[in-house]
Amino acid sequence: MKNYWLKLDQKFLSLTTREKTLLTVCAFVVVVMALYLLLLEPMGMQKSRLQRQLQQITHENIELEGQISVLSSQLKQDPDKDINLEFNQLITESQALSKQLSGSWIILFRLLK
């Protein structure tokens, strides 16, 4: 392995200055691209995914707040309103029928006497 690196070192030293510069720049670009692909791009993709999740959760939150306001307004209303109205009407009708019936009994008693 050491011989391999020594041979590469001798080949590099034998290159012209222009070739050394070009090879160094290419190696630097390869290292930068590798770092980008291994570190920065996954982080960027994760950021995009998290932003989409945030938008989705925000949208769901807005929908839920709307549902809460609808349910709150429904809770403020009397759920027995219609039943109470009908109950009061039936009471009034029952009282009217009771008066009619008591009047009928009085007439019936008078006839029987």
Side-chain angles (χ1 to χ4, degrees):
M1 187 68 147
K2 189 174 184 181
N3 289 335
Y4 177 74
W5 288 108
L6 288 174
K7 284 181 186 178
L8 281 178
D9 186 42
Q10 287 176 354
K11 284 184 182 180
F12 185 75
L13 291 175
S14 68
L15 295 174
T16 63
T17 307
R18 181 178 177 200
E19 291 171 335
K20 288 179 186 177
T21 305
L22 186 59
L23 190 59
T24 304
V25 168
C26 288
F28 179 74
V29 168
V30 167
V31 168
V32 168
M33 289 302 294
L35 287 174
Y36 174 77
L37 290 174
L38 294 175
L39 299 175
L40 297 177
E41 187 175 14
M43 289 171 34
M45 290 171 54
Q46 182 181 12
K47 180 184 175 190
S48 298
R49 182 178 52 83
L50 290 173
Q51 284 177 335
R52 283 192 307 273
Q53 276 183 330
L54 179 63
Q55 287 175 344
Q56 180 182 2
I57 290 171
T58 304
H59 180 69
E60 289 174 2
N61 191 23
I62 291 170
E63 287 180 8
L64 290 174
E65 285 177 355
Q67 290 176 2
I68 287 171
S69 68
V70 167
L71 292 174
S72 294
S73 67
Q74 287 177 352
L75 281 176
K76 290 178 184 176
Q77 297 174 359
D78 184 14
D80 296 332
K81 180 181 175 184
D82 294 333
I83 294 171
N84 288 337
L85 182 63
E86 184 178 354
F87 179 73
N88 289 334
Q89 287 174 350
L90 289 174
I91 294 271
T92 306
E93 186 179 330
S94 173
Q95 289 172 349
L97 289 174
S98 291
K99 283 181 184 179
Q100 256 185 350
L101 186 61
S102 68
S104 297
W105 281 107
I106 293 173
I107 294 174
L108 184 63
F109 281 130
R110 286 187 185 163
L111 289 175
L112 290 176
K113 282 187 180 180

